[in-house]
């Protein structure tokens, strides 16, 4: 009974203390595409993601009702760094949905012009507002509506102490007339957040960023495949001197999850089921640096199999470059790629459950061995090529006399195609799709069926897989090279496919480019199968991995290759357009359909 009354009271008093307008709320997820298009169209970096920000602790004056409810101790503010533009996940500042939607777009406009470092938060925001209104005068009525709707919602200066009242008046002048560049005076308390301005990153530094004096081998540890829904605020805490002895406390003084406890804990890489839920509940994540020497501890990587069970290495490692987007340059010989041959990949026939589909695909693809098509701009042929004739007439009137190839002929041509299929074999492909299948199982079946189709049409093709364990070991598994004919040995190696490790995609694409570039065929297709974005357990995550992969794809295009990605990652539309372009990828909503969809997509790409 007490718990029921307590819950009712909490909901009632929290609702009364809330100064927002829930009925007019607008969600970031519904506006993310529009915000992204506007942000990039006005000059925002293409690699910057649009993400939800988390609540930050604020020290503002609260009303007695807010103090009674224990609310308004934190606020969600908009800020930006090199990786993402972080906006409130829900905007309910104004009583009209149109104004809340306009506020999202206004923040995107400011962020597109925002500097990475703020010298003076208030003056820099006023400068951004002035530049935006000067360059786009049509925004002036919209900005005026936002300011006029915001001012009545802010605290009245008459109700504040003198120093806070002066600060509030300065904010109002800065909002109404940003061209005057009004500086903000100091006050004992912080002002109410200004929803129309971006906040600096300086106070929101990522606590997970590696300090300069930590060696690269200890950059990060492997994390959970789940990610927090919001960006958390962090703080570093210095590790205090450890002393042996008793810890005396009263039982009612036990710490909560969100309080820092200076205890030495054993290091463990296993996933804590409660850690993700605890991190979601925490407003601030506090980290301290362990000062133990590396020689004083032993750390085993249980992901790496022993040599007796691992795949067979082929030769020495290959040194490859990697793009460092922080320095804007290519790091030569930065990555070591090791080729592997699948262990236990004995020759085997096609599995029984795939034989019917394979027979159907072979009968369909055999018809593509020799295609009949129209050859245009020929010196002789069956019909007039109207486009070539129009071009010839225009050139002649312009004073040029090109060779009059104005005919078209319907002839049989041969396919001149080389394809390299590159499969992501990271540990995420070990995830279960249903009771009987994992992601890696449908990837394997898709490659088996695609190999049958390509062999029947006579196209030259190769199949490789990749995964990684930091930059020192990018694993590149050989299933079929271009010189080997398709048969039971290839099928056996595909059946021996195993998932593991991480996704350093840039190095794998560079090696695939080197292999495919040497083929004599005129058309070259690099077909990538992936289930997630590039990542690794060192700094190869976030925008670093995205930018390196994008640079590797640009190198592939300059080499005459056509890269295309097939993915089952439902969030792929947030980053794949930046990597492959709007028409360079496809997302499969049902991963189980991959085995049959893969040959169909190949036919569409090469027809």
């Amino acid at each position: 009974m007490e718990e029921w009354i307590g819950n009712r009271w909490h909901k009632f008093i929290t609702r009364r203390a809330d100064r927002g307008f829930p009925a007019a709320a607008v969600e970031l997820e519904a506006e993310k595409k529009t915000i992204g298009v506007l942000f990039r169209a006005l000059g925002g970096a293409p690699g910057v993601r649009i993400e939800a920000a988390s609540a930050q602790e604020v020290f503002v004056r609260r009303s007695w009702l807010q103090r009674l409810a224990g609310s308004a101790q934190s606020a969600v503010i908009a800020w930006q760094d090199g990786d993402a533009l972080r906006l409130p996940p829900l905007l309910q500042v104004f009583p009209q949905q149109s104004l809340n939607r306009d506020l999202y777009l206004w923040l995107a406009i400011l962020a597109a012009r925002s500097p990475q470092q703020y010298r003076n938060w208030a003056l820099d925001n006023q400068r951004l507002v002035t530049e935006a209104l000067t360059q786009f005068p049509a925004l002036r009525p919209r900005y005026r509506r936002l300011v006029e709707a915001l001012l009545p919602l802010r605290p009245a200066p008459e109700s504040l102490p003198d120093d806070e009242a002066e600060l509030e008046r300065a904010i109002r002048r800065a909002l109404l007339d940003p061209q005057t560049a009004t500086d903000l005076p100091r006050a004992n308390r912080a002002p109410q957040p200004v929803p129309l301005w971006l906040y600096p990153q300086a106070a929101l530094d990522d606590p997970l960023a590696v300090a300069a004096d930590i060696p690269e081998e200890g950059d990060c540890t492997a994390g959970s495949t789940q990610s927090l829904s919001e960006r958390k605020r962090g703080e570093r805490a210095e590790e205090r001197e450890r002393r042996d002895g008793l810890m005396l406390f009263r039982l009612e003084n036990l710490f909560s999850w969100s309080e820092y406890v200076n205890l030495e804990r054993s290091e463990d890489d296993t996933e804590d089921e409660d850690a993700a839920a605890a991190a979601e509940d925490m407003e601030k994540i506090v980290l301290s640096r362990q000062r133990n020497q590396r020689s004083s501890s032993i750390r085993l990587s249980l992901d790496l199999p022993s040599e007796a069970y691992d795949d067979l290495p082929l030769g020495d490692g290959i040194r490859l470059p990697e793009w460092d987007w922080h320095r804007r340059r290519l790091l030569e010989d930065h990555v070591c790629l090791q080729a592997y041959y699948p262990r236990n990949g004995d020759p085997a026939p096609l599995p029984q459950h795939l034989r019917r589909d394979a027979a159907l695909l072979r009968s369909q693809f055999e018809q593509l061995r020799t295609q009949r098509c129209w050859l245009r701009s020929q010196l002789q042929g069956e019909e007039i090529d109207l486009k070539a004739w129009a071009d010839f007439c225009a050139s002649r009137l312009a004073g040029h006399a090109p060779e009059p190839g104005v005919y078209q002929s319907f002839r049989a041509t041969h396919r001149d195609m080389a394809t390299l299929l590159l499969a992501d074999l990271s540990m995420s492909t070990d995830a279960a799709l249903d009771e009987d299948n994992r992601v890696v199982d449908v990837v394997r079946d898709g490659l088996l069926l695609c190999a049958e189709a390509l062999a029947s049409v006579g196209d030259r093709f190769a199949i490789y897989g990749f995964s990684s364990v930091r930059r020192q070991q990018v694993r590149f598994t050989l299933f079929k090279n271009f010189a080997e004919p398709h048969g039971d040995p290839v099928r056996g190696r595909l059946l021996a496919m195993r998932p593991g490790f991480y996704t350093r995609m840039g190095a794998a694409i560079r090696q695939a480019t080197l292999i495919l570039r040497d083929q004599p065929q005129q058309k070259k297709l690099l077909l990538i199968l992936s289930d997630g974005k590039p990542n690794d357990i060192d700094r190869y995550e976030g925008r670093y991995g995205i930018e390196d992969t994008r640079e590797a794809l640009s190198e592939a295009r300059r080499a005459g290759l056509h890269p295309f990605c097939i993915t089952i990652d439902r969030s792929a539309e947030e980053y794949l357009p930046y990597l492959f372009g709007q028409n360079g990828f496809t997302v499969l909503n049902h991963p189980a359909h991959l085995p049959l969809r893969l040959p169909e997509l190949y036919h569409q790409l090469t027809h």
Side-chain angles (χ1 to χ4, degrees):
M1 187 64 180
E2 293 180 359
E3 182 178 358
W4 181 83
I5 295 176
N7 290 333
R8 292 282 182 172
W9 166 253
H10 175 72
K11 292 180 179 179
F12 169 77
I13 197 65
T14 302
R15 192 181 303 113
R16 292 294 302 271
D18 186 10
R19 293 184 175 179
F21 300 92
V26 177
E27 295 184 358
L28 174 62
E29 197 63 32
E31 305 295 326
K32 183 178 291 187
K33 289 187 178 180
T34 305
I35 294 171
V37 171
L38 181 62
F39 172 73
R40 293 175 178 86
L42 297 182
V48 173
R49 306 183 307 275
I50 309 297
E51 291 187 352
S54 64
Q56 312 294 327
E57 188 176 7
V58 293
F59 300 95
V60 300
R61 182 170 298 278
R62 297 185 295 164
S63 65
W64 70 270
L65 197 59
Q66 290 173 334
R67 293 196 299 270
L68 179 63
S71 61
Q73 300 183 64
S74 60
V76 183
I77 57 180
W79 59 286
Q80 181 185 10
D81 60 7
D83 289 334
L85 167 61
R86 295 178 172 88
L87 300 174
L90 188 74
L91 275 183
Q92 51 183 4
V93 177
F94 301 109
Q96 295 87 20
Q97 276 191 341
S98 59
L99 290 176
N100 289 320
R101 190 174 292 107
D102 286 348
L103 179 54
Y104 268 135
L105 301 181
W106 174 252
L107 292 173
I109 294 171
L110 290 189
R113 316 175 62 87
S114 174
Q116 291 297 324
Q117 299 294 334
Y118 285 80
R119 296 182 178 180
N120 185 300
W121 168 64
L123 295 180
D124 285 343
N125 271 286
Q126 294 173 70
R127 177 181 56 80
L128 292 176
V129 172
T130 301
E131 291 178 357
L133 297 180
T134 302
Q135 185 174 0
F136 308 105
L139 293 176
R140 293 179 182 273
R142 181 170 296 184
Y143 175 74
R144 178 63 60 177
R145 287 197 300 270
L146 289 173
V147 172
E148 291 176 352
L150 177 64
L151 293 183
L153 303 178
R154 296 190 61 81
E158 298 78 13
S159 63
L160 301 174
D162 293 341
D163 57 340
E164 296 179 38
E166 184 181 358
L167 175 59
E168 180 62 30
R169 292 190 186 97
I171 292 177
R172 289 170 176 260
R173 288 195 301 269
L175 289 172
L176 289 170
D177 188 11
Q179 296 181 355
T180 59
T182 304
D183 199 2
L184 301 186
R186 293 187 176 274
N188 292 329
R189 287 182 179 271
Q192 290 290 335
V194 184
L196 271 64
W197 288 353
L198 292 173
Y199 279 71
Q201 179 198 355
L204 303 170
D205 285 339
D206 185 1
L208 302 179
V210 181
D213 57 346
I214 299 179
E216 184 176 348
E217 286 74 17
D219 281 355
C220 302
T221 56
S224 171
T225 55
Q226 297 178 350
S227 61
L228 298 180
S229 60
E230 297 176 346
R231 180 77 168 188
K232 296 298 181 182
R233 183 168 58 92
E235 177 181 294
R236 284 198 179 275
E238 293 296 328
E239 183 186 12
R240 304 190 185 117
E241 182 181 359
R242 291 185 295 271
R243 297 177 180 176
D244 296 333
L246 298 176
M247 183 174 69
L248 303 178
F249 63 92
R250 299 176 65 181
L251 188 60
E252 59 267 24
N253 292 336
L254 284 174
F255 294 102
S256 68
W257 268 104
S258 60
E259 293 176 296
Y260 171 64
V261 184
N262 187 22
L263 295 178
E264 182 179 4
R265 297 174 175 84
S266 60
E267 296 184 6
D268 188 6
D269 286 341
T270 57
E271 182 177 346
D272 186 354
E273 296 180 357
D274 297 329
E280 289 284 0
D281 293 336
M282 295 169 65
E283 293 183 356
K284 179 174 63 177
I285 298 178
V286 181
L287 299 180
S288 67
R289 183 182 305 172
Q290 292 286 343
R291 290 187 171 85
N292 293 339
Q293 297 295 328
R294 293 283 176 180
S295 58
S296 65
S297 62
I298 299 177
R299 178 169 176 166
L300 301 177
S301 181
L302 301 182
D303 288 337
L304 294 174
S306 65
E307 293 184 1
Y309 295 94
D310 198 5
D311 291 336
L312 305 174
L314 300 175
D316 299 330
I318 302 171
R319 307 300 300 189
L320 294 171
E322 186 169 273
W323 177 257
D324 188 340
W325 79 277
H326 295 289
R327 306 176 189 175
R328 303 292 179 182
R329 67 183 181 90
L330 205 62
L331 305 178
E332 298 293 339
D333 299 335
H334 188 70
V335 176
C336 181
L337 182 139
Q338 177 64 57
Y340 282 91
Y341 188 88
R343 185 180 292 273
N344 301 325
D346 299 328
L350 190 69
Q352 185 66 37
H353 68 281
L354 297 178
R355 292 184 181 180
R356 180 178 178 181
D357 293 331
L360 180 61
L361 289 173
R362 279 192 292 264
S363 64
Q364 294 174 350
F365 273 73
E366 283 176 355
Q367 302 174 9
L368 303 177
R369 277 187 174 271
T370 56
Q371 294 180 330
R372 293 179 62 82
C373 62
W374 285 103
L375 301 180
R376 303 185 181 277
S377 301
Q378 303 297 306
L379 295 177
Q380 57 184 358
E382 294 87 0
E383 296 182 7
I384 294 291
D385 187 348
L386 295 179
K387 182 179 182 302
W389 173 257
D391 292 341
F392 170 72
C393 293
S395 299
R396 186 175 60 179
L397 291 176
H400 303 288
E403 187 174 3
V406 295
Y407 295 95
Q408 59 182 358
S409 178
F410 194 63
R411 303 178 189 174
T413 61
H414 67 281
R415 294 171 61 88
D416 191 20
M417 173 69 64
T419 302
L420 191 148
L421 290 93
L422 185 60
D424 174 9
L425 301 182
S426 59
M427 64 174 64
S428 57
T429 60
D430 199 28
L433 292 175
D434 49 43
E435 296 180 357
D436 300 324
N437 292 313
R438 301 169 298 166
V439 173
V440 70
D441 296 330
V442 298
V443 170
R444 178 201 61 210
D445 291 350
L447 291 175
L448 284 168
L449 289 179
C450 194
E452 298 297 321
L454 269 63
S456 64
V457 79
D459 289 352
R460 287 173 57 84
F461 69 98
I463 304 176
Y464 294 87
F466 73 95
S467 61
S468 64
V469 186
R470 294 189 177 93
R471 66 181 180 89
Q472 290 84 2
Q473 187 178 117
V474 178
R475 302 168 65 89
F476 200 72
T477 306
L478 167 65
F479 297 107
K480 180 189 179 302
N481 58 28
F482 281 103
E484 181 182 11
H486 180 59
D488 286 348
V490 175
R491 299 185 185 100
R493 289 195 288 273
L494 288 172
L495 290 172
M497 179 184 297
R498 294 185 300 176
F501 317 113
Y502 306 93
T503 315
R504 206 176 200 98
M505 191 177 291
I509 292 175
R510 288 186 175 92
Q511 180 62 17
T513 300
L514 294 175
I515 296 173
L516 194 52
R517 185 185 60 186
D518 295 337
Q519 302 307 308
Q521 281 69 30
Q522 182 180 4
K523 299 179 181 179
K524 301 171 184 179
L525 174 64
L526 176 57
L527 197 55
I528 303 170
L529 281 70
S530 177
D531 70 330
K533 66 174 61 176
N535 67 67
D536 207 331
I537 54 176
D538 51 14
R539 62 175 179 171
Y540 198 88
E541 60 181 359
R543 191 172 176 186
Y544 187 99
I546 293 291
E547 293 292 344
D548 176 61
T549 303
R550 186 171 187 264
E551 181 66 22
L553 290 169
S554 298
E555 297 170 9
R557 295 187 185 97
R558 290 195 293 268
L561 278 60
H562 175 61
F564 191 88
C565 181
I566 302 173
T567 182
I568 61 175
D569 184 9
R570 296 184 179 180
S571 62
E573 293 185 356
E574 298 178 1
Y575 60 92
L576 281 188
Y578 180 61
L579 297 178
F580 292 89
Q582 291 293 340
N583 300 320
F585 71 96
T586 185
V587 180
L588 299 183
N589 295 324
H590 302 285
H593 296 170
L594 176 63
L596 292 178
R597 285 287 292 147
L598 182 56
E600 293 177 5
L601 287 170
Y602 177 81
H603 176 250
Q604 295 173 9
L605 291 171
T606 60
H607 183 60

